[in-house]
Structure formats: structure tokens, C-alpha cells
């Protein structure tokens, strides 16, 4: 996830070019092993280098939109925090969100209706 000021298609192509540079470069076993520790421009490229995964570019999508820059930064921080370890982000985003908001952001479990009623009666 990242806040982008350029159109989605442009940013997607930038990521693809970076990954393709990595994938098409001829490597020996030793140089491939050392390239895993390299820090690339993109977290996606780092992921491909360390795991040898193939990215499904066709299913890439915009998950949120916001015209106001400050609100966009805040939303990015919330999305990153909400996804937790299921994201490739290198950082927490442009806005540093205080951990006190974690209880509001992280998905909470749904309590069965019968349990809710029992709690209300007590």
C-alpha cells in the first residue's frame, strides 16, 4: 500500500519495471543469494527477491481514494495497521499513527447474538 499522486496505472508500471529488472537479470547462485539482502526501490521487488514469488499484476487494484492529502495519509496508516503482517509495506506510511488507536482499527471478532443477550441481562 502506498499513497500515490500519480495515476494507478503509472505506479503499477513502475513496480512492474522494477521487478522485471530484477527477474531478467542473469544471476549465478552466489550473486542471486547476495541480491536477496539488497534493498530495492520497491517492497514488492524485495518480496520477489527474497521469496521468488510471481506477482499477479492483473488483480492489482486501488483499495481507497481520497482527494485531501492529510486524510489520504491517515487512511494509508489505518489500512497498513489494519492489514498488519499481510502487507508488504516497509514502513507505517506517511502518517505516524499512535498505537492507542489499534483497538479501534484492528478487526474485532463478532460476538454471537445469544452471548450478547446474556450479557445484557446480567
Amino acid at each position: 500500500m502506498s499513497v500515490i499522486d500519480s495515476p494507478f496505472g503509472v505506479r503499477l508500471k513502475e513496480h512492474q519495471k522494477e521487478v522485471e529488472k530484477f527477474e531478467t537479470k542473469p544471476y549465478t547462485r552466489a550473486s542471486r543469494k547476495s541480491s536477496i539482502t539488497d534493498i530495492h526501490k520497491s517492497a514488492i521487488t524485495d518480496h520477489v527477491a527474497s521469496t521468488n514469488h510471481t506477482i499477479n499484476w492483473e488483480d492489482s487494484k486501488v483499495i481507497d481514494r481520497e482527494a485531501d492529502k492529510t486524510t489520504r495519509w491517515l487512511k494509508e496508516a489505518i489500512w497498513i495497521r489494519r492489514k498488519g503482517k499481510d502487507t508488504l509495506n516497509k514502513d507505517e506510511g506517511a502518517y505516524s499513527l499512535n498505537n492507542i488507536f489499534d483497538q479501534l482499527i484492528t478487526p474485532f471478532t463478532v460476538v454471537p447474538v445469544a452471548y450478547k443477550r446474556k450479557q445484557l441481562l446480567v
Side-chain angles (χ1 to χ4, degrees):
M1 279 170 257
S2 67
V3 172
I4 54 174
D5 293 322
S6 55
F8 175 69
V10 172
R11 188 69 180 117
L12 185 64
K13 293 263 189 244
E14 291 171 358
H15 281 299
Q16 287 173 324
K17 281 170 108 176
E18 171 83 8
V19 169
E20 284 171 12
K21 264 194 279 183
F22 173 79
E23 288 178 333
T24 58
K25 191 175 181 181
Y27 286 102
T28 63
R29 274 183 242 152
S31 64
R32 177 70 154 186
K33 195 179 271 188
S34 71
S35 75
I36 291 171
T37 59
D38 291 347
I39 298 173
H40 302 89
K41 284 192 243 177
S42 165
I44 294 173
T45 309
D46 286 342
H47 177 72
V48 169
S50 63
T51 62
N52 203 25
H53 284 171
T54 303
I55 304 298
N56 182 358
W57 301 108
E58 291 79 34
D59 287 344
S60 300
K61 62 183 177 193
V62 175
I63 57 172
D64 207 338
R65 296 180 188 276
E66 180 57 51
D68 179 66
K69 186 181 253 183
T70 306
T71 307
R72 188 166 59 239
W73 288 348
L74 182 60
K75 281 183 170 185
E76 177 196 30
I78 290 169
W79 273 105
I80 292 170
R81 188 71 60 83
R82 184 180 287 161
K83 290 292 183 182
K85 303 245 186 258
D86 293 336
T87 181
L88 297 177
N89 285 69
K90 292 181 179 180
D91 59 27
E92 292 186 356
Y95 184 84
S96 182
L97 194 63
N98 191 314
N99 289 336
I100 199 162
F101 295 106
D102 285 353
Q103 291 180 349
L104 297 171
I105 293 170
T106 53
F108 47 89
T109 55
V110 178
V111 180
V113 176
Y115 183 77
K116 282 183 188 175
R117 287 189 186 130
K118 188 176 183 181
Q119 287 289 36
L120 289 173
L121 295 174
V122 173

